[in-house]
Amino acid sequence: MNVRVRLFAAVRQAAGRDAIDLELPDRATVADLRDRLAIEIPAAAGLMRQMLFAIDAQYVPLDTPLRPDAEVACIPPVSGG
């Protein structure tokens, strides 16, 4: 299945673009997508365990199944001060 992932902040900088399209197996989960992103964007691999993911503007847990043509947001943790 094809999934579009929107990238933000440091992950976007590491990838050099604001989105990436990935082909994932049927029944892939958000955790599978996260692991694939670590491979596709090696400069951001260390950040992946800290990322939050959203589908259709709703934060989702890692065990959430993906659907074909889903648009997923990969969101880094936010800090302030």
Side-chain angles (χ1 to χ4, degrees), residues 7-18 41 43-44:
L7 307 172
F8 298 92
V11 177
R12 179 175 61 201
Q13 290 175 331
R17 53 189 161 167
D18 62 0
I41 311 170

Side-chain angles (χ1 to χ4, degrees), residues 23-76:
E23 185 67 30
L24 296 168
D26 292 342
R27 293 185 283 228
T29 64
V30 173
D32 298 324
L33 178 135
R34 180 196 61 195
D35 295 344
R36 177 71 178 278
L37 283 172
I39 293 166
E40 296 291 325
I41 311 170
L47 300 172
M48 285 301 149
R49 297 274 177 207
Q50 301 166 18
M51 293 293 141
L52 296 175
F53 293 88
I55 299 174
D56 298 331
Q58 296 279 331
Y59 288 108
V60 294
L62 293 175
D63 62 351
T64 301
L66 296 168
R67 65 182 187 285
D69 299 318
E71 184 171 278
V72 181
C74 176
I75 305 163

